[in-house]
Amino acid sequence: MTHAVLGGLVAVGWLVLPLARAGADAPATVARGAGVTAPPVAAPQDGTTTGDLVPPLVAVGAAGALAAYAYTRRRRRAATRTTPGGGPGVVPLHELDRQARQLLVEIDDCVRVGAEELGLAADRSAGDAVEPFVYDLRQAEAELAAAFRLRQRLDEAEASGVTLAEGEDDSREVLEEIIARCQDAGRRLDAAAPGFDQIRALERNAAAAVESAESRFREVAARTPAAEATIADLHKRYAPATSLPVVGDAGQAKDRLVFTTFHLNQARWYADRGDGAKAAAHLRAAEGALGQAADLVNGVDRLAGELASAAAELPVALAAVEAVRDAARRHPANGSAGLVGQLGHTEALLSGVRHVTAAGPYDPLDALRRVVEAAAGLARAGGGDVPDGRAYALLPARSALAGASCFIGTHRGAVDSEARTRLAEAERLLGSGSATLSEVRRADDLAREARRLAERDVRAYGNPAAGRGGAGAGGAVLGGILLSDGEGGPMSYGGPHTRGRRAAFFT
């Protein structure tokens, strides 16, 4: 038995090691912008230094983690390997793949909505009241992040030509692990939902919560015309394609605000008549739409700022790379054999940037990417390094990441797991704070791929029919504010079994 366990651990080592840190690497703040932080970990009080404890703790911790992981994996596989009829058997690989993709989408939505509503609760509650729910959400996030990492590995293997069926045993284990991690995250959030409702107390405090939402509504509504003007200005100032990521955002923000208006009125009507349950249901729908309207308006302002920063940074970056190129030309013997060829490629990139900047309106973020590409090529060929080259790459990468995250968040009712997986991998690469230049560029590529895949999903989804929900309900379903799986109600903090608990009162 011991040999079998050890053999199994060795076989899955590639899987265990990156995931052993999933909880430790979780960010101190709740993801998706909830803005609630966890308390710091206390230092040892007995005079023992952390360094003295590291070797034994690492050894014991690693052994314990591996043993626990092996046990947990066996338990999870036993739980997931059942036939539709309920007897022992093996779920077909394609069905496991479908389940894994569906759960990734479902839990990602739960985490996003949980962070949103937790932020609202934190604004009106004492910090110690929300802390247990911050913890639960962080743990769910860690499980989801690990599941997305596994999905990314499967997708990378498939992109390299290895299908799920060709590596069936390994693929099965990974898919089962994705499913188990998502299920664990969902169960945790489901268990936390009743307690969270007690601290939010929307049913008891509906009138006050409606007033707070109305105040936020007026603020966002007042900013929407300015966002339209900003988009028009971006179109004039830069190349036409530059403003495409936000070209329809002001209109979508208005759509969400129309939906918000209807449901705030409904919430106020029910609150005035003492029906807290129905008031809370309509208020949650309004809060979700209002949050997305704010995200869309903020996204316009964010892109305008990023483009201005890139335009200011570009001349500095261009001059720095050109200086490195010139030095490499003067001392070609100091470089590698591929330096001569790379110099030609670098010259083409830099000349192209000089041309577009002189020709008229251009895309500063795209131009900065080309300069970074030239710098990275010179460094690989031994032609030197550019000071702050990583910093030049961070601006376009963060812009792409923020844009993809906003698009997926405001269209999540239509976005499948593939786009979300690329986004999660980009977030992982940039979230460490110590990403290398190549990792930053990889995150940039992944974020832009996530955006393309999400836009593809939205085009395929079409325009959802408006059912229950009043004006703007189609956009609310597209945005994942209203569930489209037959429940039809607003999403709330919780897991898959509790997130739609207010649907019964959404009339």
Side-chain angles (χ1 to χ4, degrees), residues 278-304:
K278 289 186 176 181
H282 286 279
L283 179 59
R284 268 307 300 143
E287 287 176 341
L290 184 55
Q292 290 194 7
D295 288 344
L296 290 161
V297 171
N298 291 339
V300 174
D301 292 340
R302 186 200 66 248
L303 179 61

mmCIF file of all heavy atoms in Angstrom, residues 278-304:
data_model
loop_
_atom_site.group_PDB
_atom_site.id
_atom_site.type_symbol
_atom_site.label_atom_id
_atom_site.label_comp_id
_atom_site.label_asym_id
_atom_site.label_seq_id
_atom_site.Cartn_x
_atom_site.Cartn_y
_atom_site.Cartn_z
ATOM 1 N N LYS A 278 -39.493 40.651 -0.945
ATOM 2 C CA LYS A 278 -39.585 41.085 -2.334
ATOM 3 C C LYS A 278 -38.745 42.344 -2.572
ATOM 4 O O LYS A 278 -38.123 42.496 -3.630
ATOM 5 C CB LYS A 278 -41.042 41.324 -2.728
ATOM 6 C CG LYS A 278 -41.842 40.043 -2.861
ATOM 7 C CD LYS A 278 -43.242 40.293 -3.406
ATOM 8 C CE LYS A 278 -43.975 38.970 -3.607
ATOM 9 N NZ LYS A 278 -45.343 39.169 -4.154
ATOM 10 N N ALA A 279 -38.693 43.213 -1.596
ATOM 11 C CA ALA A 279 -37.849 44.397 -1.729
ATOM 12 C C ALA A 279 -36.384 43.992 -1.883
ATOM 13 O O ALA A 279 -35.662 44.549 -2.713
ATOM 14 C CB ALA A 279 -38.027 45.306 -0.512
ATOM 15 N N ALA A 280 -35.945 43.012 -1.094
ATOM 16 C CA ALA A 280 -34.561 42.555 -1.159
ATOM 17 C C ALA A 280 -34.243 41.926 -2.511
ATOM 18 O O ALA A 280 -33.147 42.117 -3.059
ATOM 19 C CB ALA A 280 -34.289 41.561 -0.034
ATOM 20 N N ALA A 281 -35.194 41.175 -3.050
ATOM 21 C CA ALA A 281 -34.959 40.531 -4.352
ATOM 22 C C ALA A 281 -34.754 41.569 -5.450
ATOM 23 O O ALA A 281 -33.835 41.469 -6.262
ATOM 24 C CB ALA A 281 -36.133 39.614 -4.687
ATOM 25 N N HIS A 282 -35.619 42.560 -5.485
ATOM 26 C CA HIS A 282 -35.488 43.589 -6.515
ATOM 27 C C HIS A 282 -34.264 44.479 -6.261
ATOM 28 O O HIS A 282 -33.617 44.936 -7.207
ATOM 29 C CB HIS A 282 -36.765 44.433 -6.573
ATOM 30 C CG HIS A 282 -37.904 43.710 -7.209
ATOM 31 N ND1 HIS A 282 -38.064 43.605 -8.582
ATOM 32 C CD2 HIS A 282 -38.947 43.022 -6.658
ATOM 33 C CE1 HIS A 282 -39.154 42.901 -8.847
ATOM 34 N NE2 HIS A 282 -39.710 42.535 -7.701
ATOM 35 N N LEU A 283 -33.938 44.699 -5.007
ATOM 36 C CA LEU A 283 -32.754 45.495 -4.690
ATOM 37 C C LEU A 283 -31.487 44.791 -5.156
ATOM 38 O O LEU A 283 -30.576 45.423 -5.699
ATOM 39 C CB LEU A 283 -32.693 45.754 -3.180
ATOM 40 C CG LEU A 283 -31.481 46.553 -2.711
ATOM 41 C CD1 LEU A 283 -31.418 47.920 -3.379
ATOM 42 C CD2 LEU A 283 -31.512 46.694 -1.184
ATOM 43 N N ARG A 284 -31.399 43.459 -4.956
ATOM 44 C CA ARG A 284 -30.211 42.728 -5.409
ATOM 45 C C ARG A 284 -30.067 42.825 -6.923
ATOM 46 O O ARG A 284 -28.960 42.974 -7.450
ATOM 47 C CB ARG A 284 -30.294 41.259 -5.004
ATOM 48 C CG ARG A 284 -29.669 40.909 -3.683
ATOM 49 C CD ARG A 284 -28.229 41.389 -3.568
ATOM 50 N NE ARG A 284 -27.383 40.792 -4.595
ATOM 51 C CZ ARG A 284 -26.382 41.434 -5.212
ATOM 52 N NH1 ARG A 284 -26.120 42.697 -4.939
ATOM 53 N NH2 ARG A 284 -25.651 40.811 -6.115
ATOM 54 N N ALA A 285 -31.174 42.752 -7.655
ATOM 55 C CA ALA A 285 -31.107 42.906 -9.110
ATOM 56 C C ALA A 285 -30.590 44.296 -9.466
ATOM 57 O O ALA A 285 -29.741 44.461 -10.346
ATOM 58 C CB ALA A 285 -32.477 42.664 -9.723
ATOM 59 N N ALA A 286 -31.101 45.322 -8.762
ATOM 60 C CA ALA A 286 -30.666 46.692 -9.034
ATOM 61 C C ALA A 286 -29.198 46.880 -8.692
ATOM 62 O O ALA A 286 -28.442 47.530 -9.431
ATOM 63 C CB ALA A 286 -31.524 47.667 -8.227
ATOM 64 N N GLU A 287 -28.747 46.314 -7.570
ATOM 65 C CA GLU A 287 -27.345 46.443 -7.167
ATOM 66 C C GLU A 287 -26.412 45.817 -8.198
ATOM 67 O O GLU A 287 -25.360 46.376 -8.522
ATOM 68 C CB GLU A 287 -27.130 45.775 -5.803
ATOM 69 C CG GLU A 287 -27.710 46.529 -4.632
ATOM 70 C CD GLU A 287 -27.548 45.782 -3.330
ATOM 71 O OE1 GLU A 287 -27.316 44.537 -3.368
ATOM 72 O OE2 GLU A 287 -27.658 46.405 -2.263
ATOM 73 N N GLY A 288 -26.796 44.646 -8.700
ATOM 74 C CA GLY A 288 -25.962 43.984 -9.697
ATOM 75 C C GLY A 288 -25.832 44.812 -10.960
ATOM 76 O O GLY A 288 -24.731 44.960 -11.522
ATOM 77 N N ALA A 289 -26.940 45.351 -11.438
ATOM 78 C CA ALA A 289 -26.909 46.168 -12.649
ATOM 79 C C ALA A 289 -26.150 47.466 -12.426
ATOM 80 O O ALA A 289 -25.394 47.927 -13.296
ATOM 81 C CB ALA A 289 -28.327 46.460 -13.117
ATOM 82 N N LEU A 290 -26.329 48.060 -11.263
ATOM 83 C CA LEU A 290 -25.644 49.308 -10.951
ATOM 84 C C LEU A 290 -24.135 49.105 -10.880
ATOM 85 O O LEU A 290 -23.355 49.942 -11.360
ATOM 86 C CB LEU A 290 -26.172 49.855 -9.628
ATOM 87 C CG LEU A 290 -25.658 51.218 -9.165
ATOM 88 C CD1 LEU A 290 -25.891 52.275 -10.238
ATOM 89 C CD2 LEU A 290 -26.352 51.611 -7.864
ATOM 90 N N GLY A 291 -23.728 47.979 -10.305
ATOM 91 C CA GLY A 291 -22.305 47.673 -10.258
ATOM 92 C C GLY A 291 -21.703 47.534 -11.641
ATOM 93 O O GLY A 291 -20.594 48.011 -11.908
ATOM 94 N N GLN A 292 -22.433 46.893 -12.547
ATOM 95 C CA GLN A 292 -21.924 46.739 -13.907
ATOM 96 C C GLN A 292 -21.917 48.066 -14.659
ATOM 97 O O GLN A 292 -20.995 48.334 -15.440
ATOM 98 C CB GLN A 292 -22.740 45.690 -14.659
ATOM 99 C CG GLN A 292 -22.496 44.281 -14.148
ATOM 100 C CD GLN A 292 -23.029 43.214 -15.078
ATOM 101 O OE1 GLN A 292 -23.484 43.497 -16.181
ATOM 102 N NE2 GLN A 292 -22.964 41.962 -14.631
ATOM 103 N N ALA A 293 -22.917 48.902 -14.438
ATOM 104 C CA ALA A 293 -22.913 50.225 -15.066
ATOM 105 C C ALA A 293 -21.691 51.017 -14.628
ATOM 106 O O ALA A 293 -21.027 51.677 -15.449
ATOM 107 C CB ALA A 293 -24.193 50.979 -14.717
ATOM 108 N N ALA A 294 -21.376 50.948 -13.344
ATOM 109 C CA ALA A 294 -20.188 51.637 -12.836
ATOM 110 C C ALA A 294 -18.916 51.058 -13.451
ATOM 111 O O ALA A 294 -17.993 51.805 -13.820
ATOM 112 C CB ALA A 294 -20.139 51.535 -11.312
ATOM 113 N N ASP A 295 -18.837 49.734 -13.579
ATOM 114 C CA ASP A 295 -17.663 49.104 -14.182
ATOM 115 C C ASP A 295 -17.479 49.566 -15.625
ATOM 116 O O ASP A 295 -16.345 49.819 -16.067
ATOM 117 C CB ASP A 295 -17.811 47.581 -14.154
ATOM 118 C CG ASP A 295 -17.653 47.003 -12.752
ATOM 119 O OD1 ASP A 295 -17.134 47.719 -11.873
ATOM 120 O OD2 ASP A 295 -18.064 45.849 -12.541
ATOM 121 N N LEU A 296 -18.570 49.666 -16.362
ATOM 122 C CA LEU A 296 -18.486 50.082 -17.763
ATOM 123 C C LEU A 296 -18.025 51.530 -17.890
ATOM 124 O O LEU A 296 -17.182 51.858 -18.732
ATOM 125 C CB LEU A 296 -19.847 49.886 -18.435
ATOM 126 C CG LEU A 296 -20.256 48.420 -18.650
ATOM 127 C CD1 LEU A 296 -21.759 48.310 -18.886
ATOM 128 C CD2 LEU A 296 -19.492 47.799 -19.812
ATOM 129 N N VAL A 297 -18.562 52.396 -17.051
ATOM 130 C CA VAL A 297 -18.150 53.802 -17.077
ATOM 131 C C VAL A 297 -16.692 53.939 -16.625
ATOM 132 O O VAL A 297 -15.901 54.658 -17.239
ATOM 133 C CB VAL A 297 -19.084 54.653 -16.191
ATOM 134 C CG1 VAL A 297 -18.535 56.065 -16.024
ATOM 135 C CG2 VAL A 297 -20.480 54.702 -16.805
ATOM 136 N N ASN A 298 -16.336 53.227 -15.564
ATOM 137 C CA ASN A 298 -14.956 53.263 -15.086
ATOM 138 C C ASN A 298 -13.987 52.746 -16.137
ATOM 139 O O ASN A 298 -12.853 53.231 -16.252
ATOM 140 C CB ASN A 298 -14.814 52.429 -13.811
ATOM 141 C CG ASN A 298 -15.519 53.044 -12.625
ATOM 142 O OD1 ASN A 298 -15.793 54.240 -12.611
ATOM 143 N ND2 ASN A 298 -15.840 52.232 -11.634
ATOM 144 N N GLY A 299 -14.437 51.744 -16.907
ATOM 145 C CA GLY A 299 -13.581 51.173 -17.940
ATOM 146 C C GLY A 299 -13.220 52.179 -19.020
ATOM 147 O O GLY A 299 -12.100 52.166 -19.546
ATOM 148 N N VAL A 300 -14.148 53.058 -19.347
ATOM 149 C CA VAL A 300 -13.875 54.100 -20.339
ATOM 150 C C VAL A 300 -12.799 55.051 -19.811
ATOM 151 O O VAL A 300 -11.825 55.369 -20.495
ATOM 152 C CB VAL A 300 -15.161 54.872 -20.688
ATOM 153 C CG1 VAL A 300 -14.840 56.054 -21.599
ATOM 154 C CG2 VAL A 300 -16.178 53.946 -21.354
ATOM 155 N N ASP A 301 -12.979 55.502 -18.577
ATOM 156 C CA ASP A 301 -11.998 56.414 -17.976
ATOM 157 C C ASP A 301 -10.639 55.737 -17.819
ATOM 158 O O ASP A 301 -9.592 56.364 -18.025
ATOM 159 C CB ASP A 301 -12.490 56.899 -16.613
ATOM 160 C CG ASP A 301 -13.711 57.806 -16.717
ATOM 161 O OD1 ASP A 301 -13.947 58.362 -17.814
ATOM 162 O OD2 ASP A 301 -14.435 57.947 -15.716
ATOM 163 N N ARG A 302 -10.669 54.462 -17.437
ATOM 164 C CA ARG A 302 -9.411 53.739 -17.265
ATOM 165 C C ARG A 302 -8.638 53.654 -18.576
ATOM 166 O O ARG A 302 -7.431 53.908 -18.625
ATOM 167 C CB ARG A 302 -9.691 52.324 -16.738
ATOM 168 C CG ARG A 302 -8.436 51.527 -16.395
ATOM 169 C CD ARG A 302 -8.678 50.037 -16.346
ATOM 170 N NE ARG A 302 -9.007 49.520 -17.666
ATOM 171 C CZ ARG A 302 -10.177 49.043 -18.018
ATOM 172 N NH1 ARG A 302 -11.170 49.008 -17.167
ATOM 173 N NH2 ARG A 302 -10.382 48.595 -19.239
ATOM 174 N N LEU A 303 -9.327 53.295 -19.674
ATOM 175 C CA LEU A 303 -8.648 53.180 -20.958
ATOM 176 C C LEU A 303 -8.087 54.525 -21.400
ATOM 177 O O LEU A 303 -6.958 54.595 -21.916
ATOM 178 C CB LEU A 303 -9.602 52.630 -22.016
ATOM 179 C CG LEU A 303 -8.999 52.476 -23.427
ATOM 180 C CD1 LEU A 303 -7.819 51.513 -23.413
ATOM 181 C CD2 LEU A 303 -10.061 52.008 -24.424
ATOM 182 N N ALA A 304 -8.827 55.597 -21.190
ATOM 183 C CA ALA A 304 -8.333 56.919 -21.563
ATOM 184 C C ALA A 304 -7.050 57.240 -20.807
ATOM 185 O O ALA A 304 -6.081 57.771 -21.388
ATOM 186 C CB ALA A 304 -9.402 57.980 -21.276
#
